[in-house]
Amino acid sequence: DLFLQPHLSNAFQIDSLILTERTLYLYEIKNYSGEYYYGEEMLVKIPNFKVSNPLIQVQNTKNKLNIFLKELRYEIEIKAYATYVHPEFTLFNAPKHEGILLPSQLKSHFDNIQKQSKPLTNFHKEIAADLIAHQTDPMLFTNDIPNYSFAGLRKGLCCEECNSLDLELRRNQYHCCSCGYEHFINSTLSACIKEYQRLFPNDKL
């Protein structure tokens, strides 16, 4: 969760980074569960739920990070991955694409990085220090949000995965009828409280 603010461009967010001797690995983390079909622009969850292809998002983030590092005068290779971490995620028709990491590939991927890794130098420590120095407050990302009021917002508990309000209570869990994601009641309520506090920081719960 790096929120970076370059001097010459807009702020952007990175889920996870690994810095090695020759390569900076960038990961766009997705916790989707269930069965999806691959499409160049969209992933389609059976039967008819669609999400944007994370490869597009991760490529955009990679481009921004590349420009940012050049701004700081660093030259290092960046490898970017749309990373699916949920063990019950299936992606049909997935291309053999270097930018996709499926749950069954995670262990071997990180094992290979570990085997190839060599001790870092002061150069790498400088990169890490610069990234930390350019972190910004995530709340700055709300500057472009239009004016809103509590009365004008749709009410309800949201799915933590796809933000749908179409939730169904099943014992101590909520089931999302849009994407199939299931989460515990406590987690759902906690997320709702945090969302309210973020939207209306000056109001009492």
Side-chain angles (χ1 to χ4, degrees):
D1 284 335
L2 281 172
F3 293 86
L4 299 174
Q5 177 62 72
H7 292 301
L8 303 178
S9 57
N10 294 331
F12 63 101
Q13 185 262 340
I14 293 174
D15 285 344
S16 186
L17 286 176
I18 293 179
L19 180 61
T20 67
E21 180 201 15
R22 297 181 180 179
T23 307
L24 201 161
Y25 294 88
L26 183 157
Y27 302 93
E28 179 71 32
I29 309 297
K30 296 300 179 186
N31 195 35
Y32 301 154
S33 63
E35 298 179 337
Y36 285 77
Y37 278 98
Y38 180 86
E40 289 189 5
E41 295 185 1
M42 306 290 289
L43 301 186
V44 181
K45 180 179 172 65
I46 301 171
N48 58 6
F49 177 73
K50 296 181 180 181
V51 294
S52 296
N53 189 333
L55 277 177
I56 299 173
Q57 184 178 354
V58 76
Q59 183 60 49
N60 185 41
T61 304
K62 178 184 177 180
N63 293 340
K64 291 180 179 179
L65 180 60
N66 221 341
I67 294 170
F68 178 47
L69 290 175
K70 288 182 179 179
E71 178 185 316
L72 298 177
R73 299 184 179 179
Y74 292 119
E75 289 290 339
I76 188 168
E77 180 186 20
I78 300 174
K79 290 186 177 181
Y81 299 89
T83 308
Y84 302 93
V85 298
H86 199 291
E88 297 179 7
F89 174 78
T90 301
L91 185 59
F92 294 109
N93 299 334
K96 192 174 181 180
H97 194 293
E98 290 186 357
I100 296 176
L101 277 179
L102 300 173
S104 60
Q105 299 173 307
L106 296 179
K107 185 179 185 303
S108 61
H109 171 78
F110 292 115
D111 283 349
N112 287 335
I113 290 179
Q114 182 69 26
K115 290 176 183 177
Q116 298 171 12
S117 293
K118 295 182 180 180
L120 301 184
T121 66
N122 287 333
F123 168 75
H124 303 94
K125 293 177 182 178
E126 289 174 6
I127 294 178
D130 259 339
L131 291 174
I132 292 171
H134 285 82
Q135 284 193 99
T136 187
D137 185 348
M139 290 302 292
L140 293 178
F141 284 73
T142 65
N143 288 342
D144 295 329
I145 295 177
N147 291 329
Y148 57 86
S149 66
F150 183 76
L153 297 179
R154 186 178 174 189
K155 314 301 188 299
L157 296 173
C158 291
C159 172
E160 296 172 45
E161 185 62 32
C162 72
N163 294 320
S164 168
L165 295 175
D166 190 9
L167 300 185
E168 184 179 83
L169 182 60
R170 295 182 178 178
R171 294 189 178 180
N172 62 341
Q173 288 186 319
Y174 275 111
H175 172 83
C176 179
C177 298
S178 294
C179 72
Y181 187 71
E182 292 187 348
H183 32 145
F184 288 103
I185 293 174
N186 286 355
S187 174
T188 305
L189 291 175
S190 177
C192 187
I193 290 170
K194 290 178 181 177
E195 184 179 67
Y196 183 88
Q197 289 175 321
R198 189 178 299 117
L199 292 171
F200 305 97
N202 298 320
D203 293 356
K204 293 182 179 181
L205 288 172

